[in-house]
């Protein structure tokens, strides 16, 4: 009778957990009703937010009861899977397998690809499987850890700076503050490129004091008291504070970046400080001169115009090996940031609240401009403008003609999806030649706000 009661309590707790989880992700799940072409998001309703808050801060007593199964996987989200090993586990690095012992229960095997782009079949097919298994025997342990493991992959689109944050560090921030708020844990990463641990070493240290366990180079067995596999995503570049127990925001994430890189930035500040007695606001221009698509064809003229309006200009063309410490020092000490839509604009995360941010938006990618960078700007309280180019400013006019649907009405063309061949036209074939008269009006507005920001903040 006692056993039956325990089973009923466990099943009730598990069901309630899934209900809570489904409510919490429902608002972001709507964002990808069409996996390839996200529609406009609807914010979480007040009723949902209230219910989520109550469940997070005042969970039912049954949720604190131990679950019978040592492995629980939640696959309800459209963006990610999340698996929990609720007890001691041995990780075999050579086979990417997590073993858990249970001599009385039936054998159990779960497979997870811990990358938060579950909606995208093509890239997920390239993500390595991690195996979780329950059985009567487990391998011997070589390295003993006293903190739980958080396991995810740095494969997929890793190497593209925007994806490094959208698919990596922002979900890591959300997951750490959801599952391990104010709690020690160890990062175990799969498929990380050789450069990844060193490039992001300062930022990774903000999440854990322990060395990173890299499955790509590790060959031994590790023991953990428990483990979580997968990263929680709220949507493209979204940190939804109503879904976080600690009510963390974008500014909280920006604060984490500051802790990681601010010491170097302060030591380098004098390099980026204007020398004249009447300092001018500093504008950083993100250049795509050597990129495929979306470059500014009249960049030299644009730079002269920016200087004429009153800015000091720094041309910023980051590469894979560009130091994040130096990038942060530059952006954190600037007063305005301008660039055409592209991964380099992810550096807007390094801007101080109140900095002017102008995103040049080529035709056909308005939704991406808002989803990828507009939300960041709002979350960080930046002075944000979008300069949406006119048809005559796009190089696509020369190739397709101004009456082609690609050029004339991108929204009508894309309302049913975002096929790869069309995406490549807008992102890879299109360059921009800015209308200097029209763009000057935006620059003057940007200058006035940047100058006021410089006078107030330095």
């Amino acid at each position: 009778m006692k056993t039956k009661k325990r089973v009923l309590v466990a099943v009730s707790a598990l069901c309630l957990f899934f209900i809570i989880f489904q409510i919490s992700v429902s608002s972001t799940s709507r964002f990808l009703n069409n996996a390839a072409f996200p529609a406009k998001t609807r914010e979480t309703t007040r009723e949902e937010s209230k219910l989520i808050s109550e469940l997070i801060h005042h969970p039912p007593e049954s949720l604190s009861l131990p679950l019978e199964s040592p492995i629980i996987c939640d696959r309800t989200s459209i963006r990610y899977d999340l698996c929990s090993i609720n007890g001691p586990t041995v990780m075999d690095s050579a086979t990417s397998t997590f073993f858990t012992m249970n001599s009385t229960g039936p054998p159990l095997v779960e497979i997870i690809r811990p990358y938060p782009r579950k909606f995208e079949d093509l890239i997920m097919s390239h993500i390595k499987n991690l195996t979780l298994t329950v059985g009567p025997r487990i391998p011997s342990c070589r390295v003993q850890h006293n903190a739980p493991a958080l396991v995810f992959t740095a494969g997929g689109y890793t190497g593209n700076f925007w994806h490094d944050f959208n698919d990596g560090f922002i979900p890591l921030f959300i997951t750490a503050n959801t599952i391990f708020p104010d709690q020690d844990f160890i990062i175990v990463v799969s498929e990380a490129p050789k450069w990844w641990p060193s490039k992001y070493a300062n930022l990774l240290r903000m999440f854990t004091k322990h060395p990173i366990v890299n499955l790509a180079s590790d060959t031994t067995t590790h023991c953990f008291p428990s483990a979580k596999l997968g990263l929680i995503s709220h949507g493209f570049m979204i940190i939804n504070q109503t879904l976080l127990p600690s009510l963390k925001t974008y500014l909280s994430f920006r604060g984490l970046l500051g802790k990681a890189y601010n010491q170097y930035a302060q030591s380098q500040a004098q390099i980026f400080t204007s020398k004249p007695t009447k300092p001018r606001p500093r504008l950083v221009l993100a250049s795509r001169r050597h990129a495929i698509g979306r470059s500014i064809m009249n960049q030299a003229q644009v730079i002269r115009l920016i200087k004429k309006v009153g800015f000091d200009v720094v041309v910023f063309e980051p590469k894979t090996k560009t130091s994040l410490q130096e990038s942060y020092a530059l952006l954190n000490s600037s007063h305005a940031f301008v660039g055409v839509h592209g991964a380099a604009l992810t550096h807007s995360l390094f801007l101080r609240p109140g900095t002017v941010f102008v995103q040049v938006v080529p035709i056909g990618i308005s939704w991406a401009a808002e989803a990828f960078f507009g939300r960041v700007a709002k979350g960080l309280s930046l002075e944000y403008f979008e300069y949406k180019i006119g048809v005559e400013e796009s190089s696509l006019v020369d190739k397709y003609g101004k009456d082609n649907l690609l050029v004339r009405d991108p929204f009508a063309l894309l309302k049913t999806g975002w096929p790869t061949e069309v995406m490549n036209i807008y992102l890879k074939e299109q360059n921009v030649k800015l209308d200097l008269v029209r763009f000057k009006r935006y620059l003057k507005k940007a200058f006035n706000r940047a100058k006021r920001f410089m006078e107030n903040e330095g």
Side-chain angles (χ1 to χ4, degrees):
M1 188 66 183
K2 288 184 178 180
T3 303
K4 184 177 180 180
K5 185 175 180 182
R6 288 170 58 199
V7 171
L8 288 173
V9 170
V11 171
S12 299
L14 181 58
C15 291
L16 188 53
F17 172 82
F18 284 150
I19 291 169
I20 295 167
F21 200 90
Q22 183 62 37
I23 292 171
S24 69
V25 300
S26 62
S27 61
T28 51
S29 293
R30 296 188 192 97
F31 184 74
L32 276 178
N33 287 332
N34 183 312
F37 180 64
K40 213 168 186 177
T41 17
R42 181 181 68 81
E43 295 296 329
T44 307
T45 65
R46 292 181 180 179
E47 292 77 13
E48 287 173 333
S49 299
K50 182 179 179 182
L51 179 57
I52 291 166
S53 178
E54 289 175 353
L55 291 170
I56 288 173
H57 297 290
H58 305 285
E61 185 179 349
S62 57
L63 284 183
S64 64
L65 295 175
L67 298 174
E68 294 293 328
S69 176
I71 296 177
I72 298 291
C73 287
D74 188 316
R75 305 186 188 276
T76 59
S77 172
I78 195 172
R79 296 184 172 276
Y80 60 89
D81 291 335
L82 192 67
C83 289
S84 300
I85 302 177
N86 306 303
T89 181
V90 177
M91 180 191 75
D92 180 10
S93 300
T95 61
S96 300
T97 302
F98 290 78
F99 294 87
T100 303
M101 179 178 286
N102 189 343
S103 57
T104 58
L108 175 64
V109 176
E110 293 279 3
I111 302 294
I112 185 172
R113 292 173 177 169
Y115 191 58
R117 294 188 77 86
K118 195 173 78 170
F119 56 87
E120 192 172 339
D121 293 338
L122 180 59
I123 196 62
M124 290 301 290
S125 68
H126 296 284
I127 299 298
K128 186 176 182 179
N129 285 330
L130 301 184
T131 304
L132 301 80
T133 180
V134 177
R137 297 179 182 178
I138 60 175
S140 59
C141 178
R142 297 293 181 87
V143 181
Q144 179 68 54
H145 300 278
N146 295 321
L150 176 57
V151 188
F152 60 92
T153 184
Y157 292 122
T158 298
N160 175 293
F161 195 62
W162 182 80
H163 284 284
D164 287 355
F165 280 84
N166 180 71
D167 307 329
F169 289 105
I170 289 177
L172 175 58
F173 177 80
I174 292 169
T175 307
N177 284 285
T178 301
I179 298 175
F180 300 112
D182 303 317
Q183 184 182 347
D184 198 16
F185 63 92
I186 297 167
I187 291 177
V188 177
V189 65
S190 171
E191 303 179 276
K194 291 182 179 179
W195 52 265
W196 187 86
S198 57
K199 177 171 182 173
Y200 291 112
N202 286 19
L203 184 51
L204 289 166
R205 279 194 286 269
M206 297 299 102
F207 292 98
T208 177
K209 63 183 181 182
H210 302 280
I212 306 301
V213 179
N214 190 346
L215 292 180
S217 58
D218 198 280
T219 58
T220 190
T221 55
H222 296 255
C223 295
F224 300 96
S226 63
K228 301 285 185 181
L229 291 84
L231 293 178
I232 300 170
S233 170
H234 290 165
F236 291 148
M237 300 301 279
I238 294 175
I239 298 175
N240 187 340
Q241 70 181 88
T242 67
L243 302 181
L244 289 169
S246 51
L247 299 180
K248 298 287 185 178
T249 66
Y250 245 115
L251 291 175
S252 306
F253 183 68
R254 175 61 173 76
L256 195 76
L257 296 173
K259 288 181 182 178
Y261 300 116
N262 208 39
Q263 184 174 358
Y264 180 87
Q266 289 176 348
S267 68
Q268 296 294 304
Q270 59 184 3
I271 297 175
F272 305 114
T273 300
S274 301
K275 300 299 182 183
T277 53
K278 291 185 177 180
R280 292 151 58 95
R282 181 169 47 259
L283 182 148
V284 176
L285 176 66
S287 173
R288 293 183 57 86
R289 186 176 48 175
H290 297 102
I292 299 175
R294 288 162 286 144
S295 65
I296 301 176
M297 294 186 288
N298 57 341
Q299 179 171 296
Q301 293 174 288
V302 169
I303 291 173
R304 286 197 293 271
L305 177 62
I306 293 172
K307 291 179 179 179
K308 187 175 180 180
V309 168
F311 285 104
D312 284 339
V313 184
V314 178
V315 178
F316 179 56
E317 193 170 0
K319 308 294 184 183
T320 301
K321 295 183 179 180
T322 300
S323 164
L324 287 182
Q325 289 92 330
E326 293 178 7
S327 297
Y328 180 90
L330 172 63
L331 273 299
N332 184 66
S333 62
S334 298
H335 310 102
F337 184 39
V338 176
V340 180
H341 176 87
L345 297 192
T346 311
H347 291 86
S348 58
L349 289 166
F350 296 167
L351 299 172
R352 291 173 290 172
T355 304
V356 176
F357 177 26
V358 181
Q359 178 178 193
V360 177
V361 183
I363 61 174
I365 54 176
S366 293
W367 71 266
E370 168 60 23
F372 296 178
F373 303 115
R375 290 172 179 162
V376 175
K378 293 179 179 67
L380 295 182
S381 300
L382 304 178
E383 291 280 357
Y384 177 63
F385 304 97
E386 285 187 356
Y387 179 82
K388 295 183 178 180
I389 71 168
V391 170
E392 68 283 353
E393 295 173 272
S394 172
S395 64
L396 296 180
V397 172
D398 298 331
K399 184 172 183 178
Y400 296 96
K402 64 180 181 179
D403 294 326
N404 189 293
L405 192 62
L406 271 166
V407 177
R408 179 170 51 83
D409 195 353
F411 180 77
L413 183 69
L414 297 172
K415 64 182 179 181
T416 58
W418 183 254
T420 302
E421 59 272 18
V422 176
M423 176 181 70
N424 287 338
I425 291 173
Y426 287 129
L427 295 181
K428 297 181 179 181
E429 293 185 20
Q430 180 176 202
N431 293 310
V432 302
K433 186 176 182 179
L434 299 182
D435 180 331
L436 298 181
V437 174
R438 179 169 169 250
F439 191 56
K440 185 178 181 180
R441 295 198 292 269
Y442 283 75
L443 286 176
K444 284 184 174 180
K445 185 186 296 185
F447 174 80
N448 290 333
R449 299 196 182 186
K451 189 172 186 296
R452 184 166 64 245
F453 174 67
M454 180 187 70
E455 292 168 349
N456 292 335
E457 302 293 335

